[in-house]
Amino acid sequence: MTAERVTVLNLYPGHMNVYGDRGNMLTLRRRLEWRGYEVDAVDHHPGDVLPDSPDIVVGGGGQDAAQALVQPDLLEHGARLREWAESGTPMLMVCGLFQLFGHHTYTVAGSALPGLGILDVTTDAGGGRLVGNTVTVSEEFGPLIGFENHAGRTRLGPGVNPLGKVPRGQGNNGTDGLEGAHYKNVIGTYLHGPVLPKNPRLADHLIQVAVDRRFGPTELAPLDDSAVDDARASALARRR
Ligand code: GLN
């Protein structure tokens, strides 16, 4: 029997890869392969053609200049990305691309960058950066461990839920105690790390949604996460 194939699309890994966000793609790939799936890992760079119907879409963070470089290509593909999001494709967008999946963001230099509006969030430039190790407490995924570094202050509109709350860390804007956004199967977050190797439950959520949609209800084989469990316990015990 040929292995079932899963396509994972990584948006702009050449530009949007601060703190190794590309590791999110690697984590999805390995956790799928360990369960016997074949993975088409597709890197999308500005000017490339998008694959037909990816099973999971991920994207990372980047400096303001990198966001400005990828934004025209992103908007050009907006209709398809919106269609995928509306139809339930699991997506994970970190920091710079989280911001660009919202209505707009501003660079520190003051230029407005219109985004896709897939997530009902807006981001304004703030004075001072929100930086540090952080834990987002999510009802659905438990404690999500990561590292944030952003100047943008993101506010959620009524069309999204937060990903979680930040008892430790600054989160979306340093004031409302919320972190990230969740709409349908699209998750936006400020968590770098990269986030998925540190938070396998979140990685498996994206995988579960993807394989259920592609192949029908599926029981995912458990993996040995003992090493990451140890690392998580130590990170959770550390003060910010
Ligand atoms: N340039 C954006 C900000 O500082 C995004 C930064 C990032 O992706 N780490 O808000």
Side-chain angles (χ1 to χ4, degrees):
M1 195 183 107
T2 49
E4 292 169 315
R5 291 188 89 80
V6 176
T7 302
V8 185
L9 171 65
N10 192 6
L11 296 177
Y12 314 113
H15 295 81
M16 306 297 282
N17 180 36
V18 295
Y19 307 110
D21 287 332
R22 195 189 178 99
N24 292 329
M25 162 68 114
L26 295 175
T27 298
L28 293 170
R29 176 180 200 145
R30 287 290 175 266
R31 294 183 78 82
L32 281 158
E33 287 173 348
W34 286 332
R35 293 170 165 128
Y37 293 96
E38 264 180 33
V39 178
D40 281 328
V42 181
D43 284 347
H44 176 87
H45 303 287
D48 287 351
V49 174
L50 287 176
D52 277 346
S53 56
D55 297 295
I56 308 177
V57 185
V58 294
Q63 308 311 325
D64 290 3
Q67 286 178 290
L69 284 173
V70 303
Q71 184 256 10
D73 187 84
L74 185 72
L75 292 198
E76 203 177 304
H77 295 295
R80 295 209 41 221
L81 289 161
R82 255 188 296 276
E83 191 186 302
W84 292 340
E86 288 301 321
S87 66
T89 302
M91 302 190 182
L92 174 73
M93 296 299 139
V94 177
C95 202
L97 276 171
F98 168 32
Q99 296 172 349
L100 284 173
F101 263 56
H103 300 295
H104 69 249
T105 185
Y106 279 88
T107 64
V108 172
S111 346
L113 288 177
L116 294 175
I118 288 175
L119 294 172
D120 182 16
V121 307
T122 51
T123 302
D124 295 307
R129 302 190 70 80
L130 307 180
V131 187
N133 289 313
T134 180
V135 177
T136 294
V137 177
S138 144
E139 272 176 32
E140 198 175 352
F141 309 112
L144 296 169
I145 295 165
F147 177 81
E148 63 182 322
N149 183 351
H150 52 108
R153 268 52 169 185
T154 299
R155 304 237 161 235
L156 308 185
V160 283
N161 291 315
L163 177 60
K165 297 193 172 144
V166 276
R168 276 204 265 167
Q170 318 246 33
N172 286 339
N173 48 55
T175 54
D176 67 10
L178 302 177
E179 204 288 310
H182 198 170
Y183 168 71
K184 294 200 169 185
N185 291 322
V186 182
I187 291 173
T189 180
Y190 274 109
L191 298 181
H192 300 281
V195 65
L196 292 186
K198 290 188 166 187
N199 300 285
R201 194 163 151 194
L202 181 59
D204 280 355
H205 165 78
L206 299 170
I207 290 172
Q208 184 75 64
V209 174
V211 297
D212 285 351
R213 292 179 82 240
R214 177 67 67 192
F215 309 113
T218 302
E219 195 162 328
L220 286 184
L223 300 176
D224 176 6
D225 284 325
S226 48
V228 70
D229 289 346
D230 287 350
R232 284 173 55 80
S234 138
L236 286 169
R238 219 187 305 133
R239 288 169 64 93
R240 180 177 161 79

